[in-house]
Amino acid sequence: MQKVDFELDAPVLLPEQFTSHKVRGMYLLIVGERPTWIVLNQAEYEAFKELVGGATVREVLKSHPQETVSHLLAKVHQAKFYREDTSVRRTYPPKLTLYISNRCNLKCVHCYAAAGDALPSELTTPEWLEVIDQYSQIAQSGEVTISGGEPTLHPELGVLLESVANHGHRSVLFTNGTTGGGKLGWNTLGQTVDVIQLSIDGFDEDTNDEIRGKGTFRKVLQTYETLYDTRTQIRLSVCAMPQNVDSLRNGLLQFLRKYDPAKKIGLILSPTVVAGRNENGTYAFDYPELQEAIGDSLDEIWRSGWRFPNTFQRNDHQPRCGIGSSILIAPDGGYRACTFAPISGNVRQQRLADWYSTTQERLEHFNVDNIEMCKDCDLRHICLGGCVVKMGHRARCTSSGPCTPANRNFYYEKLVRESMVLFGER
Ligand SMILES: C[S@@+](CC[C@H](N)C(=O)[O-])C[C@H]1O[C@@H](n2cnc3c(N)ncnc32)[C@H](O)[C@@H]1O
């Protein structure tokens, strides 16, 4: 546990308002507006109450063991569970995602884009460059993700990446890792792209290849190994579904131990969404199912020292589910406010800045502070009110029906579990 220095004779300025829940014998205290939270055991909670009452650290130390108080203060500090926190993030410059072509060499069974053939009337390279220019007029030091289809098959990927870099943006490339990296090759991509996200949907050959196609596991692994020592930050993208859950449960930690000795890669583990080639939901999964199926092995991965952003962010005051935080451009120039939102306009008819500002206004009623069902819930800036597109105002992790007490309990449990793992309490 991190040791933190506090002034002995001053009160610790703790939040005046927070909600409190007893979960797994622990006290979960949440400042929902921010959001931040801490998870305390009984002894820490008793000391905490004295601090909230205005006692100084020295006074609290008179009636509580030093170890209890220092654990408590470490938790307070880690969560920034203070009265004021000026570091809370409240503004979100938009990111840009370019689906530069629908063309793909694979036919993954669950692909939301149903990628395969190029669409009629895809944007030309000068048109994509114009999109990047227009984005740069509203975002400095932004982030541009290039996806598809399979973007490494695009003959002018290099020109687009160069423009992204010349405008000072961070570049992210989503790829299936099976193409040799196209004209540029993986080595060059690894030295020039800031983040390369490789898709892998199973940690054994059979499981992955059943979903992504024969031979893909070996190829993506080879690409991973080529990229591992280049400049890029590797991120693995894994879609969880009933078909690969055993492989994730049994193989993920082993994979990390073998292939990520430096504990430096990122991992995005997401439930598979019902869309595109997965329209009938054959490969669907949602968060509680995912948690139920592999929660224990994810805990083990945390305990072993990997930290993935698959967790809830503190002091990050997001207004709603990810919709509207990115500007997504379909291969033929259609605008979307998120991957699963319908097309609403086209870059050939409307300037990016105009589309963005009208979209932000249209999305205001999805702000969790405005949604009737969410506005008084202490989880609202953590669960973010659920997927606007798929589920209306229902919570993100419920696949049917509106948000329920069981759904909220899932989140409370998860916050407590995560903290207990992090602080070595389970
Ligand atoms: C559509 S692919 C395009 C980029 C590239 N061809 C690739 O395979 O990574 C982008 C990401 O979406 C993920 N994906 C595909 N279908 C999905 C679905 N139904 N739900 C969630 N993610 C999905 C893929 O696994 C991949 O990581």
Side-chain angles (χ1 to χ4, degrees):
M1 192 163 314
Q2 189 197 352
K3 198 152 170 17
V4 192
D5 290 328
F6 279 84
E7 268 213 50
L8 278 178
D9 292 310
V12 182
L13 290 178
L14 296 168
E16 281 161 332
Q17 294 197 337
F18 51 84
T19 50
S20 159
H21 307 267
K22 191 108 187 257
V23 181
R24 294 183 170 231
M26 304 290 278
Y27 292 85
L28 167 64
L29 313 179
I30 305 178
V31 181
E33 191 277 333
R34 204 171 288 172
T36 188
W37 59 93
I38 47 173
V39 177
L40 306 178
N41 64 29
Q42 186 72 45
E44 291 161 354
Y45 183 60
E46 297 304 328
F48 176 85
K49 283 194 291 193
E50 289 183 27
L51 285 177
V52 170
T56 63
V57 175
R58 193 187 299 279
E59 285 161 350
V60 174
L61 279 167
K62 284 186 194 147
S63 44
H64 298 273
Q66 168 150 11
E67 203 193 359
T68 302
V69 179
S70 66
H71 277 194
L72 166 62
L73 293 176
K75 287 180 175 181
V76 164
H77 190 67
Q78 187 252 356
K80 298 205 170 63
F81 202 79
Y82 298 121
R83 188 163 307 167
E84 300 284 330
D85 189 23
T86 47
S87 64
V88 178
R89 191 162 94 112
R90 288 172 194 275
T91 54
Y92 297 87
K95 297 175 179 176
L96 179 66
T97 299
L98 310 177
Y99 290 89
I100 58 173
S101 171
N102 204 53
R103 185 175 157 225
C104 191
N105 55 320
L106 303 183
K107 295 269 182 316
C108 303
V109 290
H110 61 301
C111 181
Y112 62 69
D117 296 330
L119 299 184
S121 198
E122 294 193 342
L123 296 191
T124 61
T125 300
E127 285 177 309
W128 285 120
L129 292 173
E130 172 63 22
V131 170
I132 297 168
D133 277 351
Q134 287 191 23
Y135 170 68
S136 308
Q137 287 159 20
I138 62 164
Q140 280 80 50
S141 307
E143 183 176 293
V144 180
T145 297
I146 301 193
S147 182
E150 174 49 40
T152 57
L153 298 177
H154 194 287
E156 299 198 271
L157 175 62
V159 177
L160 303 179
L161 286 170
E162 199 178 308
S163 167
V164 170
N166 288 343
H167 281 94
H169 304 306
R170 197 166 113 99
S171 55
V172 182
L173 182 70
F174 287 2
T175 173
N176 61 36
T178 67
T179 59
K183 267 167 74 175
L184 296 170
W186 296 125
N187 271 310
T188 304
L189 287 168
Q191 296 306 346
T192 50
V193 180
D194 294 307
V195 178
I196 298 187
Q197 180 175 302
L198 295 171
S199 301
I200 185 164
D201 289 322
F203 290 95
D204 61 89
E205 192 168 345
D206 287 350
T207 306
N208 175 81
D209 288 8
E210 196 65 30
I211 297 163
R212 302 195 66 84
K214 205 163 169 39
T216 54
F217 184 78
R218 279 167 197 248
K219 284 188 185 157
V220 76
L221 195 53
Q222 204 175 17
T223 304
Y224 175 98
E225 291 187 296
T226 305
L227 292 174
Y228 197 77
D229 292 318
T230 63
R231 185 186 77 86
T232 200
Q233 158 78 47
I234 300 182
R235 198 197 275 162
L236 293 183
S237 162
V238 184
C239 291
M241 56 182 88
Q243 290 78 357
N244 65 9
V245 74
D246 288 340
S247 177
L248 304 188
R249 192 189 302 109
N250 304 325
L252 179 52
L253 179 56
Q254 263 177 323
F255 178 93
L256 292 170
R257 286 201 170 120
K258 186 159 176 197
Y259 293 107
D260 185 25
K263 297 190 172 140
K264 66 177 187 180
I265 68 158
L267 176 86
I268 307 278
L269 183 57
S270 31
T272 310
V273 172
V274 178
R277 262 201 289 280
N278 189 30
E279 198 142 50
N280 63 10
T282 310
Y283 306 94
F285 226 15
D286 64 18
Y287 278 104
E289 283 173 319
L290 180 58
Q291 180 68 21
E292 176 70 28
I294 61 166
D296 286 343
S297 40
L298 290 181
D299 286 356
E300 188 56 35
I301 287 169
W302 267 60
R303 267 194 288 271
S304 309
W306 278 272
R307 296 281 176 267
F308 296 122
N310 259 95
T311 182
F312 304 116
Q313 299 297 310
R314 286 186 171 89
N315 298 302
D316 195 11
H317 182 91
Q318 304 245 16
R320 53 180 174 259
C321 75
I323 194 163
S325 60
S326 282
I327 302 166
L328 295 93
I329 316 286
D332 59 1
Y335 285 112
R336 291 183 202 272
C338 92
T339 311
F340 305 106
I343 299 276
S344 58
N346 191 292
V347 297
R348 287 173 171 144
Q349 276 102 42
Q350 190 178 19
R351 289 188 67 77
L352 186 142
D354 295 338
W355 178 85
Y356 182 65
S357 65
T358 46
T359 301
Q360 290 302 306
E361 283 163 29
R362 277 194 292 126
L363 290 173
E364 197 37 37
H365 68 282
F366 291 123
N367 187 322
V368 286
D369 289 323
N370 299 334
I371 298 172
E372 199 49 40
M373 193 192 294
C374 302
K375 66 185 177 28
D376 298 319
C377 176
D378 56 0
L379 291 166
R380 68 192 182 286
H381 288 290
I382 300 170
C383 102
L384 302 174
C387 169
V388 165
V389 177
K390 285 272 154 209
M391 303 169 209
H393 290 175
R394 294 176 217 157
R396 180 196 296 275
C397 64
T398 50
S399 50
S400 61
C403 183
T404 58
N407 175 50
R408 284 191 287 278
N409 281 339
F410 158 77
Y411 277 89
Y412 294 137
E413 275 266 335
K414 186 149 167 59
L415 297 179
V416 170
R417 275 173 73 134
E418 262 183 25
S419 170
M420 290 175 79
V421 170
L422 191 63
F423 287 99
E425 295 167 321
R426 73 183 280 271

